[in-house]
Amino acid sequence: MIPAAFEYTRASSLQDALGILASDEGAKVIAGGQSLLPLMKLRLAQPARLVDIGRLAELRGVRRLDDGRLSVGALTTYAELADSPAVRYGVVADALPGIGDVQVRNRGTVGGAVAHADPASDLPAALLALDAEVVVQSAAGSRTVPVDGFFQGAFTTALARDEILAAVILPAPRADAGSAYASLEQRASGYPIAGVAAVVVLGAGGLIEWAGVGVTGVSDHPYRAREVEAALVGTTGSPEAVAAAAALVVGDREVNADIHAGREYRAAMAVVHARRAIGAALARVR
Amino acid sequence: MAELHVALEVNGEHREVDVEPRTLLVTMLREDLELTGTHVGCDTSQCGACTVHVDGRAVKSCTVLAAQADGTSVTTIEGLGQVGSLHPIQQAFWDKHGLQCGFCTPGMIMAAADLVARNPDPSEAEIRHAIAGNICRCTGYHNIVAAVREAAAVMRGAAASA
């Protein structure tokens, strides 16, 4: 399968790429291409121009900021992320091996996964649970926004047409936090039918002081389950408390249904995997 | 559409090709450079038959633009070994019956080569994880896994005695 014809421009710098985006409404950014090229080959996407940002060193790599947070450049591949300090977060280490396959992880990028906003992408759940931020660049300047709120619908984000996602910022790792990701994968594609990422911070007396819960595959976009988080905070994280909190993971959201999983089953699996993810996160910090 | 000039290294040789922007890496390899050892199976990024190495990393060449490979070093199955001097992974696939029809084999071997380069002594589970992006429809993976283990052992031996 061959994509529809397009013009191709390799950007020489981020500013160059932003300039092209600002001046050409038909332009679309390509990085690793692991999501975009399959869509173009199926002609579900037919951009008039591709702006290749894949070589921009300024968008590559994971570095520790002065305050301990990690800045993950948009072009960091899944494989590079797996070789970076980011795997100190259990939730990232858990999610990465299940994303795509070796070849996809060698080319697919963190920024691409976030900007593409597949409703069943694994990484967004982890980023939501970690309360990560995204750095968005346009010709006018840069803005940093929480990941929570960035995903707005299936394949739809807060990214404007002339903006490029430059980096994802992860909070500083902390010894009093544990995190984990648990998902039910569709066996052939590997995409989660329901995937839940959990981060818990233990405070005085072993009580849960803060919790982050990200959910993917379940609704039209990955979301943060604040009801679950609120139910966990202040508890000891006993099995009963975890089960009661996990039961709130779907709430009144519209649940996806397809040939692999109907609404009821998918919602049930979301609860099961919320329980498992929270339990595993707690086990890692206790 | 203006053609793009792509210059890259393929199996150690400098090559230059003019391509349409939408040309896939696998198409350029097979049709322009006549390296037909790299196969097109599903053409949808699932089966891994088109796996080649770009700058030392296994990728699915049906999901990479030729333009994206400009300036890189690409290795295909033809660059791994030759008839009469097979690469240890090719030899092990032969010795362990790691193939029947052979259609998936080039991609399977390139995926295995990526693994062994990074992990000289992979466990069975690690091998199965590493070839999860490569599909064999003949007989399954038992002999393929055995071949990769055998090849890794041979390559460790060669490295130890070198």
Side-chain angles (χ1 to χ4, degrees):
Chain A
M1 290 178 296
I2 306 295
F6 54 85
E7 300 283 351
Y8 172 91
T9 309
R10 183 181 300 154
S12 57
S13 67
L14 182 55
Q15 283 309 317
D16 179 34
L18 291 167
I20 298 166
L21 279 188
S23 64
D24 184 349
E25 288 209 354
K28 171 92 180 153
V29 168
I30 186 166
Q34 299 303 285
S35 298
L36 181 58
L37 287 175
L39 289 180
M40 289 174 63
K41 290 170 70 179
L42 293 168
R43 308 225 174 173
L44 295 171
Q46 300 195 14
R49 177 182 300 280
L50 286 187
V51 183
D52 188 353
I53 62 168
R55 305 291 176 89
L56 301 182
E58 57 202 294
L59 296 182
R60 177 146 256 139
V62 179
R63 61 196 176 87
R64 196 177 299 280
L65 304 178
D66 289 341
D67 58 7
R69 293 182 301 161
L70 288 184
S71 173
V72 179
L75 291 180
T76 307
T77 63
Y78 292 118
E80 288 164 353
L81 192 66
D83 280 337
S84 82
V87 292
R88 284 186 54 191
Y89 304 99
V91 70
V92 174
D94 286 349
L96 278 175
I99 296 173
D101 48 46
V102 169
Q103 294 94 324
V104 169
R105 293 193 294 275
N106 280 342
R107 275 199 77 76
T109 66
V110 170
V114 175
H116 184 60
D118 190 306
S121 181
D122 295 277
L123 197 61
L127 300 179
L128 284 162
L130 284 167
D131 199 20
E133 296 176 303
V134 293
V135 180
V136 170
Q137 198 86 33
S138 72
S142 92
R143 61 190 179 107
T144 301
V145 296
V147 155
D148 188 19
F150 187 77
F151 302 109
Q152 299 184 337
F155 307 104
T156 306
T157 68
L159 206 58
R161 205 198 54 76
D162 60 350
E163 290 180 319
I164 292 176
L165 195 159
V168 173
I169 309 284
L170 305 179
R174 42 195 291 178
D176 57 356
S179 69
Y181 179 68
S183 70
L184 175 67
E185 287 190 354
Q186 201 281 316
R187 292 293 284 177
S189 72
Y191 275 95
I193 287 169
V196 181
V199 177
V200 290
V201 177
L202 290 189
L207 298 182
I208 296 176
E209 183 180 285
W210 187 90
V213 176
V215 184
T216 189
V218 173
S219 191
D220 69 336
H221 62 85
Y223 63 89
R224 194 167 155 189
R226 289 190 181 265
E227 312 87 321
V228 180
E229 298 171 4
L232 286 171
V233 169
T235 73
T236 58
S238 66
E240 296 74 22
V242 170
L248 306 173
V249 72
V250 173
D252 56 7
R253 290 176 185 82
E254 181 82 11
V255 176
N256 298 334
D258 59 23
I259 57 167
H260 305 299
R263 286 191 177 83
E264 196 182 345
Y265 176 63
R266 194 180 300 264
M269 290 304 100
V271 172
V272 167
H273 290 82
R275 205 161 60 217
R276 289 181 187 169
I278 297 163
L282 283 165
R284 282 178 175 159
V285 68
R286 274 176 179 151
Chain B
M1 290 296 136
E3 295 231 312
L4 297 172
H5 188 71
V6 174
L8 73 173
E9 193 178 278
V10 180
N11 299 332
E13 282 181 42
H14 182 78
R15 306 298 294 263
E16 301 196 18
V17 190
D18 290 318
V19 298
E20 248 194 289
R22 58 180 169 169
T23 306
L24 303 170
L25 176 58
V26 70
T27 311
M28 183 181 79
L29 290 171
R30 288 178 54 86
E31 296 181 14
D32 294 291
L33 301 179
E34 299 184 349
L35 293 167
T36 54
T38 301
H39 291 169
V40 179
C42 68
D43 203 5
T44 55
S45 214
Q46 321 273 327
C47 81
C50 66
T51 300
V52 302
H53 294 183
V54 173
D55 289 336
R57 290 272 193 180
V59 304
K60 292 181 173 177
S61 60
C62 78
T63 310
V64 178
L65 296 172
Q68 292 177 294
D70 179 46
T72 66
S73 174
V74 173
T75 306
T76 69
I77 188 73
E78 289 93 343
L80 215 58
Q82 301 293 328
V83 174
S85 60
L86 294 180
H87 184 278
I89 300 176
Q90 293 173 310
Q91 188 63 48
F93 270 68
W94 176 274
D95 292 337
K96 294 289 178 185
H97 301 282
L99 59 122
Q100 280 190 36
C101 85
F103 194 87
C104 72
T105 310
M108 204 61 90
I109 287 176
M110 296 311 287
D114 179 286
L115 168 67
V116 177
R118 259 159 255 291
N119 178 358
D121 190 9
S123 66
E124 176 173 342
E126 287 168 337
I127 294 168
R128 288 181 182 273
H129 186 66
I131 59 169
N134 294 75
I135 297 174
C136 165
R137 287 286 83 127
C138 284
T139 186
Y141 302 91
H142 184 86
N143 285 357
I144 292 172
V145 172
V148 177
R149 293 202 80 168
E150 162 91 358
V154 168
M155 290 165 72
R156 284 197 306 278
S161 63

